[in-house]
Amino acid sequence: QVHLAESGGGLVQTGDSLRLSCVASGLNIINYHMGWFRQAPGKEREFVAASSRPGSSTYYTQSVKGRFTISRDNAKKMVYLQMNNLEPEDTAVYYCASSAAALSAIRQSEMWRWWGQGTQVTVSS
């Protein structure tokens, strides 16, 4: 059984940093794309960042480029999202996800197969 568990969320101020972590069980993440999505209140879930299998390339949504960094440790089955210079607009529940779909679909949430329960990130102004 596949299980993804996020941690590291919290309440921070504008300009602060947070590092989200995701631990996977039941699958070998080296064989999967790993990604982060987020969902703000009243909005649809949106793509944030992804690391293609086995970890050679990374992808970001435009609004987080230069501020967020996705990384992975395949041996530990861990995925991280380092978030710097946080803004109130980054406030959302952040979800870790795993996919074996084509890279061309990496930004589409419906193409991701497994999801964590999410961790809340709140950035105050």
Side-chain angles (χ1 to χ4, degrees):
Q1 184 176 0
V2 176
H3 184 64
L4 302 177
E6 306 94 337
S7 62
L11 172 62
V12 297
Q13 296 184 333
T14 299
D16 285 349
S17 298
L18 277 176
R19 188 176 84 153
L20 305 183
S21 299
C22 172
V23 58
S25 58
L27 81 168
N28 190 349
I29 70 167
I30 196 171
N31 297 320
Y32 295 88
H33 310 313
M34 300 299 296
W36 290 93
F37 285 73
R38 65 186 179 186
Q39 187 167 19
K43 295 187 177 180
E44 293 186 354
R45 190 171 298 189
E46 67 168 346
F47 170 81
V48 176
S51 168
S52 64
R53 59 186 176 187
S56 54
S57 298
T58 57
Y59 305 85
Y60 299 94
T61 192
Q62 185 62 39
S63 63
V64 308
K65 282 183 179 179
R67 299 189 299 123
F68 291 12
T69 303
I70 187 172
S71 61
R72 62 160 79 192
D73 186 329
N74 291 328
K76 294 182 178 179
K77 298 185 178 181
M78 295 289 297
V79 184
Y80 306 98
L81 185 67
Q82 177 66 43
M83 306 186 296
N84 297 330
N85 195 20
L86 283 160
E87 304 169 351
E89 294 74 20
D90 297 316
T91 295
V93 177
Y94 283 71
Y95 298 91
C96 176
S98 178
S99 172
L103 271 178
S104 59
I106 206 167
R107 297 173 187 269
Q108 303 173 31
S109 61
E110 61 269 23
M111 302 306 294
W112 292 75
R113 182 171 181 181
W114 292 291
W115 295 84
Q117 292 299 308
T119 185
Q120 176 70 47
V121 172
T122 303
V123 185
S124 64
S125 57

